[in-house]
Amino acid sequence: MAELLTIEEAQRLILERVRPLAVERVPLEDAGGRVLAEPVRAAVDLPPFASSAMDGFAVRSEDTPGTLPIVGRIAAGAPAQKPLRAGEAMAISTGGVVPEGADAVIPIEYVVERDNDVEILEAASSGAAVRPRGGDLHAGDTVLEAGERLDPVRLGALAAAGVAEVACSARPRAAVLTTGTELRRPGEPLGPGEIYEANGLILAAQLASAGADVTRLPAVADDEEAHRGALERGLDADVLVTSGGVSVGPHDLVRRIEAELGVEEVFWRVAVKPGKPVAFGVRGSTLVFGLPGNPVSSLVGFELFVRPAVLALQGYSDPLPRFEPGRLAAALRQNPARDELVRARSTDASDGAVGLEPLAGQESHMIARAAAADVLVLVPRGGGELPAGAPVRYLRLG
Ligand code: AMP
Ligand code: MG
């Protein structure tokens, strides 16, 4: 048998086939989770004016310490109507505009206020409790670069910088099709030999978290006609992900029917455990992934192969899974032929490195065991054993 592709080779073949989707302008409110197609510049200085960091009194630092008349009251959004003159104080709220002439704010905790006077007990330095205009960034500065994904913090940065609309690539339209005569939906009674369908839900959630707009097609039995109709529908999407039916059994129909429908297979089978029989092909601009049916194989195959493609379709600058360094908490035997993704729990290790505790129950049908994992540990193929404490790389789930 020919050498199987490595994970990296398979990922490269996939990314070579990805053409980023068209760019569209999106209101910031609808841009959560999307990837910027262009750098974004700030419309205003941030903060847009010198503002108070505290509730207190705006003064000239050279007038402190001392007792000063309170000549005005400034609230956030309601600036003073006149400048502050020598020997005066103005009450000011957090976020209020520091009045012209003032260079410091004395927090309310450090003053004694009486009638219309305020006694400042200690000398303040120039700039104390004042947030300078443009201290976060300046108008015209780049807030975010093309290829960055709009997570909550980045959305907030754009909103604060006055950005109302952004250029993003379109959201990939993804279709999910699960195959298997044995599959029943949760809530239905199980007949002999039947199991509950899990992969459709997992894949739909994974796709959504990668930014796709997901359609779940009704599951199909291992029947050629049913496959044909459903796959044809799925091939209208930008990404079609199937589960099951890509192995070597007589009822594994997905690849054959896809070929009949014009899908050009790019690869089938990768040296990875779980998930070896994964298939990837293209028809026109549609990317077609066939994931094996065992739920953990499907889950792992998605993270290694489908998520990077969905991110790359959106122009994401760094679409491949981000493995981080950690240490094994227990010894693991290597698989001689395939890189293995081992379900594990991460812990704090005494030396600061993340500890990785492999879970019991590593078989690819054991989705309930896998639910206790927060990471996948990459165990490179080889003939030996990785001892406890060995440095490894892991991928965070979810
Ligand atoms: P297959 O890849 O079709 O040979 O399926 C491999 C194993 O995964 C079999 O035990 C199937 O019953 C099971 N399986 C297939 N599809 C699903 C699914 N959507 N949810 C849960 N288990 C599945
Ligand atoms: Mg099957």
Side-chain angles (χ1 to χ4, degrees):
M1 191 176 74
E3 279 280 296
L4 291 180
L5 289 178
T6 64
I7 295 172
E8 294 75 18
E9 287 165 345
Q11 287 170 332
R12 187 169 47 73
L13 289 173
I14 293 165
L15 293 181
E16 275 174 13
R17 297 300 185 123
V18 174
R19 298 287 167 268
L21 297 175
V23 173
E24 57 193 22
R25 298 205 64 86
V26 183
L28 195 62
E29 284 95 298
D30 301 332
R34 301 189 55 169
V35 180
L36 288 174
E38 295 169 359
V40 186
R41 296 178 187 286
V44 294
D45 290 341
L46 200 59
F49 49 84
S51 75
S52 177
M54 309 285 277
D55 291 317
F57 290 86
V59 298
R60 291 154 52 121
S61 54
E62 67 219 55
D63 292 341
T64 63
T67 298
L68 306 172
I70 303 168
V71 301
R73 298 196 177 264
I74 301 161
Q81 298 303 314
K82 56 183 183 189
L84 182 104
R85 289 178 306 189
E88 293 178 344
M90 289 188 192
I92 189 165
S93 307
T94 305
V97 179
V98 174
E100 205 187 312
D103 70 335
V105 171
I106 315 300
I108 211 157
E109 294 85 347
Y110 300 121
V111 305
V112 181
E113 191 180 349
R114 305 182 210 87
D115 299 330
N116 268 332
D117 282 345
V118 59
E119 184 185 351
I120 294 154
L121 304 167
E122 285 176 29
S125 52
S126 181
V130 176
R131 306 162 172 163
R133 173 174 180 161
D136 199 358
L137 53 71
H138 290 105
D141 284 354
T142 299
V143 193
L144 298 175
E145 299 287 354
E148 290 195 69
R149 184 139 189 238
L150 295 177
D151 62 8
V153 188
R154 292 183 175 118
L155 281 175
L158 294 183
V163 175
E165 217 183 57
V166 286
C168 294
S169 64
R171 293 181 65 188
R173 291 167 307 116
V176 175
L177 175 66
T178 57
T179 71
T181 303
E182 73 279 27
L183 303 177
R184 284 292 159 272
R185 286 150 69 111
E188 294 175 356
L190 285 183
E194 296 179 342
I195 60 167
Y196 287 120
E197 199 285 296
N199 296 344
L201 204 56
I202 305 176
L203 289 168
Q206 286 176 306
L207 283 162
S209 76
D213 187 0
V214 185
T215 302
R216 280 190 66 182
L217 301 171
V220 289
D222 296 315
D223 164 88
E224 296 197 11
E225 268 322 299
H227 272 54
R228 228 169 252 124
L231 289 169
E232 190 59 87
R233 269 187 71 194
L235 285 165
D236 283 340
D238 298 312
V239 183
L240 168 60
V241 184
T242 62
S243 135
V246 287
S247 204
V248 290
H251 305 287
D252 291 329
L253 305 172
V254 169
R255 295 171 54 237
R256 180 157 57 79
I257 307 292
E258 282 178 350
E260 286 176 23
L261 295 174
V263 174
E264 171 207 339
E265 188 162 88
V266 176
F267 66 74
W268 174 54
R269 301 205 293 191
V270 175
V272 61
K273 183 178 176 199
K276 177 167 100 172
V278 57
F280 170 65
V282 292
R283 191 182 81 170
S285 58
T286 303
L287 306 174
V288 185
F289 293 91
L291 299 176
N294 276 307
V296 183
S297 310
S298 165
L299 176 97
V300 169
F302 182 92
E303 294 302 331
L304 293 178
F305 306 117
V306 186
R307 187 184 296 278
V310 173
L311 294 178
L313 279 172
Q314 297 166 83
Y316 198 74
S317 52
D318 187 16
L320 288 173
R322 194 170 305 209
F323 283 88
E324 292 169 56
R327 276 185 198 290
L328 274 186
L332 280 179
R333 177 149 293 287
Q334 291 172 293
N335 183 290
R338 291 186 279 162
D339 293 340
E340 189 165 356
L341 281 301
V342 171
R343 276 71 74 206
R345 283 199 71 78
S346 62
T347 58
D348 289 339
S350 48
D351 61 357
V354 171
L356 302 160
E357 195 95 55
L359 297 175
Q362 291 287 332
E363 287 170 66
S364 59
H365 64 289
M366 293 183 164
I367 189 64
R369 303 292 187 108
D374 63 339
V375 295
L376 298 172
V377 174
L378 178 63
V379 178
R381 61 193 174 283
E385 186 181 85
L386 299 183
V392 286
R393 297 193 306 140
Y394 70 93
L395 180 65
R396 213 159 264 294
L397 285 170

